[in-house]
Amino acid sequence: MRQCRLTSSMLERAGYEEPSRTLWLWFEGGEKYAYQNVPADVFNALCHAESAGTFFNDYIKDRYDFTRDPARRRFGP
């Protein structure tokens, strides 16, 4: 998996699995999500975006199916 650190108040880092075209995003606070069928150029652009949060909102959110990583579930009140 290729990874990059992101400069964002919302996102911590991103990872990309080439064969499955899965984009992994780690959000601030520990939430981890897997976005399916994301082209590699979207991952590359995210890693080089001036604002990762803005890029996420404009080019990833509501465009790709995703699942929350069940191993990272947080329990609280």
Side-chain angles (χ1 to χ4, degrees), residues 55-73:
F55 186 91
F56 170 78
N57 286 328
D58 291 347
Y59 299 102
I60 299 171
K61 184 178 179 182
D62 298 327
R63 292 180 184 240
Y64 300 98
D65 291 332
F66 67 91
T67 56
R68 183 175 170 188
D69 182 8
R72 297 286 300 216
R73 262 197 197 139

Side-chain angles (χ1 to χ4, degrees), residues 2-52:
R2 296 186 297 151
Q3 293 190 33
C4 67
R5 287 259 178 230
L6 301 171
T7 305
S8 170
S9 61
M10 180 171 71
L11 294 165
E12 191 175 288
R13 64 185 162 123
Y16 189 73
E17 294 176 351
E18 197 82 40
S20 63
R21 295 172 36 118
T22 302
L23 173 67
W24 290 92
L25 294 177
W26 286 261
F27 287 79
E28 290 294 332
E31 296 296 320
K32 181 180 173 185
Y33 291 83
Y35 290 81
Q36 287 82 36
N37 296 313
V38 178
D41 61 332
V42 172
F43 167 74
N44 293 328
L46 173 64
C47 289
H48 295 98
E50 187 173 315
S51 170

